């Protein structure tokens, strides 16, 4: 059996889809599983040993340069790559029009969410078979339940993201015990106040943990530097690839982050993780794992420093 999974973005959504690969491998140990994903997140499926081929797509980049000849050449090459493999099944766990159009172009039986539960109902028109999955379930469970319905297997397998941190040298990281502070996110209304991060970081230092602050662009780095400046020994990480970030997170004693895909990656790697929510509902998209994790806050609720430290206490004192 040859299966193509279509889950293109964003980072957190891609991480949420990893258990689908583990479930499919458990049921169909001989199946070949490929995955179509946005090029920026292609490192994530590569972490799972059951993914045979990762097919990158660049919808986000192409949208910004539709007048460019190279863009159309790349789109043609992508379509040709999709069509060169005869898949038995193509499963879209995203439920958007863009992912449905990708699914439709790949040879095989097309499977996805029914229109009444798809994120964009029009997407269901491009599937051969559709399935009604409860929309109020956590995103990880929705993915798994959709795959289970599509391939007719039980939904009671243990949660398994199936990934481990890559072995990559990080010569700049010298701390024996470090806590990764994920202070950046895609929207300003999801940010935790800088003074809270500073107070948290200072307490972690006093407890023997070195705060490490990654960043992805100039704005995020400036924020990380402002937070790190008053924290003795805090480290602002250099620019890292996703694989390097996975390596950093995998070695951490603790990860604390706002609503960001990297918090989900930390949880998937089995790292004790505390996720902070200010404007979104963690019941639907909070971190979810088989190890130690906590979701704090919610819509209109800002977690306090004391709440975060209380949640971190079992890990800090180990």
């Amino acid at each position: 059996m040859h299966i193509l999974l279509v889950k293109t973005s964003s980072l957190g959504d891609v991480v949420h889809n990893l258990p689908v690969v583990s479930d499919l491998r458990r049921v169909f140990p001989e199946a070949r599983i490929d995955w179509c994903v946005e090029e920026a997140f292609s490192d994530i499926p590569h972490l799972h040993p059951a993914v045979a081929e990762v097919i990158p797509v660049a919808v986000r980049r192409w949208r910004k340069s539709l007048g460019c000849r190279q863009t159309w050449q790349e789109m043609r090459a992508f379509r040709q790559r999709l069509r060169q493999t005869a898949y038995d099944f193509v499963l879209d766990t995203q439920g958007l029009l863009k992912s449905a159009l990708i699914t439709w172009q790949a040879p095989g039986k097309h499977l996805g969410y029914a229109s009444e539960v798809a994120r964009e109902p029009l997407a269901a028109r491009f599937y051969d078979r559709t399935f009604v999955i409860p929309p109020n379930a956590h995103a990880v469970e929705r993915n798994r339940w959709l795959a289970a319905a599509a391939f007719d297997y039980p939904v009671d397998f243990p949660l398994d993201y199936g990934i481990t941190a890559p072995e990559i040298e990080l010569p700049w990281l010298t701390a024996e015990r470090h806590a990764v502070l994920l202070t950046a996110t895609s929207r300003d209304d999801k940010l935790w106040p800088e003074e809270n991060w500073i107070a948290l970081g200072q307490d972690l230092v006093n407890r023997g943990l070195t705060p490490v602050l990654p960043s992805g662009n100039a704005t995020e780095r400036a924020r990380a530097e402002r937070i790190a400046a008053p924290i003795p020994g805090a480290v602002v990480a250099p620019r890292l690839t996703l694989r390097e970030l996975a390596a950093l997170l995998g070695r951490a004693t603790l990860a604390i982050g706002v609503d960001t895909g990297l918090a989900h990656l930390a949880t998937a790697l089995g790292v004790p993780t505390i996720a902070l929510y200010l404007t979104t509902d963690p019941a639907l998209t909070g971190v979810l794992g088989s190890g130690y994790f906590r979701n704090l806050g919610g819509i209109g609720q800002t977690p306090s420093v004391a709440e975060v430290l209380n949640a971190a206490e079992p890990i800090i004192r180990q």
Side-chain angles (χ1 to χ4, degrees), residues 19-267:
V20 171
V21 180
S22 300
D23 292 347
L24 288 171
R25 172 57 77 233
R26 182 187 293 262
V27 178
F28 307 112
E30 302 302 320
R32 178 184 170 96
I33 304 169
D34 297 345
W35 188 329
C36 181
V37 64
E38 272 284 341
E39 58 183 3
F41 309 124
S42 61
D43 281 344
I44 300 303
H46 275 300
L47 292 175
H48 201 301
V51 175
E53 181 178 8
V54 176
I55 303 174
V57 66
V59 174
R60 292 183 172 187
R61 180 165 54 81
W62 292 338
R63 281 176 175 170
K64 299 176 183 178
S65 57
L66 288 176
C68 178
R69 181 179 178 183
Q70 181 180 344
T71 295
W72 291 93
Q73 291 174 338
E74 289 183 10
M75 287 193 292
R76 279 194 299 272
F78 170 72
R79 284 196 298 268
Q80 290 171 358
R81 185 174 182 186
L82 272 186
R83 292 171 179 171
Q84 72 185 15
T85 302
Y87 290 103
D88 296 293
F89 300 97
V90 185
L91 175 63
D92 176 11
T93 58
Q94 193 147 12
L96 298 177
L97 183 56
K98 69 174 183 179
S99 59
L101 287 170
I102 291 171
T103 300
W104 178 66
Q105 293 181 72
K109 194 166 190 176
H110 307 122
L111 314 170
Y113 290 108
S115 59
E116 57 264 45
V117 294
R119 289 166 66 186
E120 294 179 355
L122 187 59
R125 296 191 179 188
F126 295 89
Y127 310 136
D128 298 310
R129 291 189 64 198
T130 61
F131 306 88
V132 177
I133 305 299
N136 58 346
H138 190 279
V140 171
E141 299 303 334
R142 290 191 78 215
N143 293 336
R144 299 183 71 198
W145 293 349
L146 174 61
F151 292 96
D152 192 24
Y153 59 76
V155 295
D156 56 354
F157 299 137
L159 175 61
D160 179 14
Y161 286 90
I163 62 173
T164 55
E167 294 292 332
I168 298 176
E169 290 294 327
L170 301 173
W172 54 270
L173 182 63
T174 58
E176 291 186 7
R177 299 181 76 222
H178 69 275
V180 178
L181 305 186
L182 303 168
T183 62
T185 186
S186 58
R187 290 178 3 212
D188 286 351
D189 61 351
K190 295 181 179 182
L191 293 172
W192 204 42
E194 292 185 20
E195 59 269 23
N196 287 7
W197 283 116
I198 292 169
L200 174 65
Q202 290 171 340
D203 194 280
L204 292 176
V205 169
N206 291 335
R207 306 290 293 277
L209 289 175
T210 298
V212 178
L213 290 77
S215 58
N217 56 45
T219 300
E220 293 176 3
R221 185 171 184 83
R223 177 181 173 82
E225 289 174 344
R226 289 195 302 272
I227 292 169
I231 304 174
V235 177
V236 177
R239 185 70 178 266
L240 302 173
T241 66
L242 261 181
R243 280 182 57 80
E244 290 169 333
L245 282 164
L248 171 66
L249 288 167
R251 299 173 196 175
T253 301
L254 174 68
I256 303 173
V258 287
D259 184 2
T260 171
L262 291 176
H264 296 285
L265 179 57
T267 308

